[in-house]
Structure formats: C-alpha cells, structure tokens
C-alpha cells in the first residue's frame, strides 16, 4: 500500500540549551531579531530532548501538528513562519538545482508530531528544543540543507542555538532582513568533558510573564536593558568565548553568574517590574556563593532563565559535594530516592566546616528534584522506523 504513494517520514531529536550570556529583547518582533548576541551550552539529550516526526504525503489535504499527543492549532503564527521559511528555502534550493529526487514534495502537506522527554510542567524551557527539532525535521522531509538558524529562530529566538551541540553563539547580526542573525558553534560537544550541569527544579508553577511578552516590556521600558545590550554584552561575548576555549571554569562560572544577575536586574528595571526568581532561587544563589567562599574559588555557578529553576555549572570533581550541600540545605520532602535524576552521582561527603560555612537553616522541599546532565550534541536523525511518532495512518501512535 505504502509504495503506491510518495510518502516520506523522518524522526529527529533536538536538545535543550541554557544561555550563559542571555538573550533578552528583540529589535524586530516579526523576524525575531535580538538586540544582543547570546551564548549557550547545549545540554545532553540523554536527559532532555524533544523528538519530532515529520511526514509529507501527496494524500494529505492540510498541514497538522500534535504536541505531546494533543493536536494544536497549525495556524499559530510562529509555526506558520517556520513552515513558510522551510518551504521558501526548499524552493530556493530546487530552483538552483539540477536533480531533484522529490520533484513534487514541495507542494505536499505535512503532519508533525512532537514530544518532550521531560515534563513541560517542570517549568523547563521546551520551546528551544521544540522549534529546533521542528526546523530540523522539516528540513529533512523537504530536502533543505542550508543553515536552519532562520527557520528555528522564527519559532523561538533561543531555538536557533539548539541546532548545534557543544557551546553555541547566536550572533545578533546587523542586517534588517536578519540574514546575518545566525547561530554557530563556538566549541564542540567533547571540548570540555569535565563540565557538568545540574538543573535544580524549584517549582512547577506556570510563570506569570512569558519571555516573549516580558522582553517586549523590558525593551520598551528598561534603560538598563539598552545599556546592557550596547555597552556590556559585546565585551562579555568575547570574554565568554575565550573562557570556553581555554576551559577556564573560574572565568566561565563568574561571568555566567554575573550575566544571569544582570538579566534579572533588567527584569526588575522593567516597568511594571518582572520577577522570575523566588525565595528558593535566592537561597540557591546564597548557597552557591557560600560554597565558593568556603573553597576560596568559583567551584560552582548558577544561572536562571525566565523562571525560578536554577541551572548549576560545575566540574565533575565537585558534583558530589555540591549535591550533598543541596540535600543538606533543601532536604528532599518525600520521594528521597527520586531526588536525583539523570547522570549518577556518588553520595558525597559534607564536612562540618562546610555545613557551618553554608550558615543556612534547611528549607525542606524547596527543591523538588535535581537533573544531573552534561554538555551534549546537536540534533540527530533516528533511523528506526519504530521511532516514528506517527503511525501508518499518519496520526499519532497511541502513547504507552
Ligand atoms: C531568558 O527564546 O523563549 O531564556 O524569542 O520570544 O520565543 P522568544 O523568546 P525565548 O527567550 C529566551 C530567554 C531566556 C534567555 C536565553 O535563552 O538566552
């Protein structure tokens, strides 16, 4: 049956990324062009990823999309922008191309299904991995081989950074059409093997202000944000790239914390003010600084996005002790054995000196759980047909 209709199905995965120099503010809302460059670390897909299947067929009468098993409105402007952009790139390629293995596929409608292996409710950003995966999967079925920054970016700015593994820079660009606003890899996945990432999941509550609206208000009202974009970020980008290349954790960690703090300062400078951090976030900040002071150097660093969850960077030799300090300060409330997910962490020692240095009363249940992960690769194509999220009827397979 399948052989009588031109039909193409591809399944891909894409990673989450976490910015260490933050993107906050657009100079063009439609094209999603930022007011400053940003830099991120791609997290490993063993712990966090989006999986997306795209199917094109001449028999489809309309484009359709399912997210985590539920059909969504394909008319959403950002999804439409991605679809338009990928078809434009495909057309451009075909017009300059001698051979086209799928001459009609451009006109085919697409079915897309996408799932995350992490709970969206955990407050972890899913739009970056989601739109990167959408762009990547669409590129496979429509035969696009050019840079996908623009396609992913039109879905969500930070998504263009999830198109690569390792350490990734999103260059803001200067052109009005955004052609030079692209992501590029600064260092590959295996460049800094000792680097570890701990996600401290603080709250599953839905945030009050989404990033898109938040950054819009900041651009309109915060003089600090403008100052940051013009006078601070350019030098910080160069500095951060140097620290990454040199694998200088002291420099990397300190600048990561400073940039997170400045981003949240611009949120407070926004009018009406935006606050993404909560009491637990602030306790984590305190804990990190006390931990570092005890060791007389930057051994761990925090960064926070548009929510209260902390992302911690550290080196493999420090993970066990820091996790012990977190357990001490935020005793797990109920499911003790599930407190730590992801990469295994050996139970670590916590000296009385360090305990005393932390100087904090424990906050039981403040942190729900920790996901331990590391730097990871960019999007991948899954070869097995059973990986497809859409069945032979091109509808989502029932989830188990
Ligand atoms: C705080 O990429 O989610 O995580 O482009 O409007 O979709 P839109 O915003 P989004 O913003 C991310 C903001 C951030 C910082 C960062 O990832 O650089």
């Amino acid at each position: 049956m399948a052989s009588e209709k031109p039909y193409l199905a591809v399944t891909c995965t894409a990673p989450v990324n976490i910015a260490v120099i933050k993107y906050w503010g657009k100079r063009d809302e439609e094209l999603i062009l930022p007011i400053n460059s940003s830099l991120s670390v791609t997290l490993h897909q063993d712990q966090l990823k989006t999986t997306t299947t795209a199917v094109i067929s001449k028999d489809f009468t309309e484009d359709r999309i399912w997210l985590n098993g539920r059909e969504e409105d394909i008319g959403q402007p950002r999804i439409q922008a991605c679809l338009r952009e990928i078809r434009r790139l495909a057309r451009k390629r075909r017009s300059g191309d001698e051979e086209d293995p799928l001459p009609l596929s451009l006109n085919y409608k697409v079915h897309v299904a996408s799932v995350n292996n992490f709970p969206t409710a955990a407050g972890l950003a899913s739009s970056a991995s989601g739109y990167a995966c959408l762009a990547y999967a669409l590129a496979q079925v429509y035969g696009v081989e050019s840079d996908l920054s623009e396609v992913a970016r039109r879905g969500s700015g930070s998504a263009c950074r999830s198109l690569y593994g390792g350490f990734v820079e999103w260059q803001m660009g200067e052109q009005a059409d955004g052609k030079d606003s692209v992501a590029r890899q600064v260092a590959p996945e295996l460049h800094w093997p000792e680097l570890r990432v701990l996600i401290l999941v603080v709250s599953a509550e839905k945030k009050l202000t989404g990033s898109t609206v938040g950054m819009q208000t900041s651009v309109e009202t915060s003089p600090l944000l403008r100052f940051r974009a013009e006078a601070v970020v350019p030098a910080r980008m160069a500095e951060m790239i140097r620290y990454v290349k040199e694998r200088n954790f002291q420099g990397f960690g300190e600048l990561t914390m400073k940039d997170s703090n400045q981003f949240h300062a611009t949120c407070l400078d926004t009018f009406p003010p935006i606050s993404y951090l909560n009491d637990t976030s602030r306790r984590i900040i305190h804990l990190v600084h006390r931990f570092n002071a005890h060791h007389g150097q930057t051994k761990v660093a925090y960064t926070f996005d548009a929510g209260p969850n902390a992302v911690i960077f550290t080196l493999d030799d420090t993970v066990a002790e820091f996790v012990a300090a977190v357990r001490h300060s935020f005793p797990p409330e109920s499911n003790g054995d599930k407190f730590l997910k992801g990469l295994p962490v050996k139970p670590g020692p916590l000296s009385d000196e360090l305990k005393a240095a932390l100087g904090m009363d424990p906050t039981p249940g403040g942190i729900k759980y920790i996901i331990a992960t590391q730097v990871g690769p960019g999007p991948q194509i899954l070869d097995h047909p059973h990986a497809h999220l859409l069945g032979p009827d091109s509808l989502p397979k029932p989830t188990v």
Side-chain angles (χ1 to χ4, degrees):
M1 262 263 285
S3 60
E4 73 191 21
K5 56 179 179 187
Y7 165 99
L8 183 59
V10 177
T11 299
C12 304
T13 65
V16 168
N17 73 76
I18 176 80
V20 290
I21 299 292
K22 303 292 186 192
Y23 148 54
W24 196 251
K26 300 181 184 65
R27 64 180 197 276
D28 186 316
E29 292 281 338
E30 172 67 24
L31 297 177
I32 310 204
L33 301 176
I35 59 168
N36 61 257
S37 297
S38 54
L39 200 139
S40 60
V41 177
T42 298
L43 305 189
H44 206 289
Q45 296 178 49
D46 281 353
Q47 282 73 44
L48 302 163
K49 71 174 173 217
T50 296
T51 304
T52 299
T53 298
V55 180
I56 54 169
S57 165
K58 74 170 173 33
D59 295 339
F60 294 165
T61 53
E62 54 181 353
D63 295 327
R64 293 176 76 179
I65 190 164
W66 291 263
L67 302 184
N68 293 315
R70 245 192 47 200
E71 183 154 21
E72 300 282 330
D73 176 14
I74 192 81
Q76 288 173 52
R78 287 181 173 204
I79 297 176
Q80 282 298 313
C82 293
L83 281 170
R84 236 188 351 262
E85 201 50 37
I86 204 82
R87 286 174 172 143
R88 188 185 63 78
L89 289 174
R91 210 168 295 122
K92 193 166 134 197
R93 178 170 176 230
R94 301 292 150 79
S95 58
D97 218 37
E98 332 70 60
E99 276 176 68
D100 185 352
L102 290 162
L104 293 173
S105 70
L106 250 178
N107 304 319
Y108 292 178
K109 301 291 184 196
V110 67
H111 282 194
V112 175
S114 193
V115 295
N116 297 322
N117 71 344
F118 52 95
T120 316
L124 301 168
S126 59
S127 65
S129 55
Y131 279 108
C133 209
L134 177 68
Y136 204 77
L138 289 175
Q140 306 307 316
V141 287
Y142 286 113
V144 171
E145 283 174 357
S146 50
D147 182 75
L148 298 174
S149 290
E150 177 152 20
V151 188
R153 198 191 72 217
R154 295 293 292 270
S156 187
S158 55
C160 68
R161 298 188 312 237
S162 277
L163 291 169
Y164 300 96
F167 301 80
V168 184
E169 157 188 33
W170 175 13
Q171 298 171 339
M172 63 176 289
E174 285 170 2
Q175 289 173 218
D177 64 5
K179 291 283 175 275
D180 57 351
S181 188
V182 292
R184 72 163 195 114
Q185 190 178 62
V186 165
E189 174 198 346
L190 299 174
H191 168 72
W192 199 349
E194 301 83 16
L195 195 65
R196 291 291 177 276
V197 183
L198 302 170
I199 302 168
L200 311 187
V201 177
V202 166
S203 153
E205 270 172 51
K206 209 169 148 43
K207 53 192 168 197
L208 290 173
T209 318
S211 340
T212 305
V213 172
M215 66 175 80
Q216 218 166 356
T217 318
S218 295
V219 168
E220 284 160 13
T221 63
S222 168
L224 178 57
L225 181 65
R226 180 181 295 262
F227 172 75
R228 163 181 164 72
E230 286 169 7
V232 181
V233 173
R236 281 192 175 176
M237 283 295 292
E239 206 182 338
M240 190 63 98
I241 290 172
R242 185 160 50 83
Y243 291 143
V244 167
K245 291 201 161 149
E246 292 168 351
R247 291 185 281 265
N248 174 346
F249 189 80
Q250 296 273 328
F252 172 84
E254 194 169 305
L255 189 53
T256 294
M257 293 189 279
K258 286 180 176 169
D259 203 69
S260 172
N261 293 341
Q262 189 176 75
F263 155 50
H264 291 280
T266 68
C267 290
L268 200 57
D269 190 45
T270 298
F271 198 80
I274 305 168
S275 51
Y276 289 122
L277 306 181
N278 65 16
D279 283 349
T280 304
S281 318
R282 282 183 283 273
R283 281 171 178 276
I284 295 168
I285 292 175
H286 185 76
L287 171 71
V288 167
H289 285 289
R290 287 286 178 103
F291 187 95
N292 288 338
H294 171 77
H295 286 288
Q297 56 175 303
T298 300
K299 300 248 301 173
V300 282
Y302 53 78
T303 186
F304 296 82
D305 282 338
N309 294 333
V311 175
I312 301 289
F313 290 99
T314 189
L315 298 177
D316 56 354
D317 63 1
T318 308
V319 172
E321 191 185 33
F322 184 71
V323 168
V326 170
R327 268 185 193 279
H328 170 75
S329 307
F330 304 93
E333 213 144 49
S334 52
N335 53 344
D337 53 345
K338 280 195 175 159
F339 188 62
L340 205 68
K341 303 172 196 254
L343 294 178
V345 176
K346 287 197 206 84
L350 189 63
S351 67
D352 290 338
E353 289 79 10
L354 177 52
K355 242 185 247 178
L358 296 179
M360 285 168 69
D361 289 335
T363 314
I367 294 177
K368 296 207 158 55
Y369 57 91
I370 301 177
I371 304 172
T373 184
Q374 58 192 334
V375 184
Q380 314 274 314
I381 299 173
L382 301 183
D383 279 333
H384 296 291
H386 64 247
H388 292 330
L389 302 172
L390 293 162
D393 55 358
S394 298
L395 296 173
K397 290 181 187 166
T399 44
V400 273

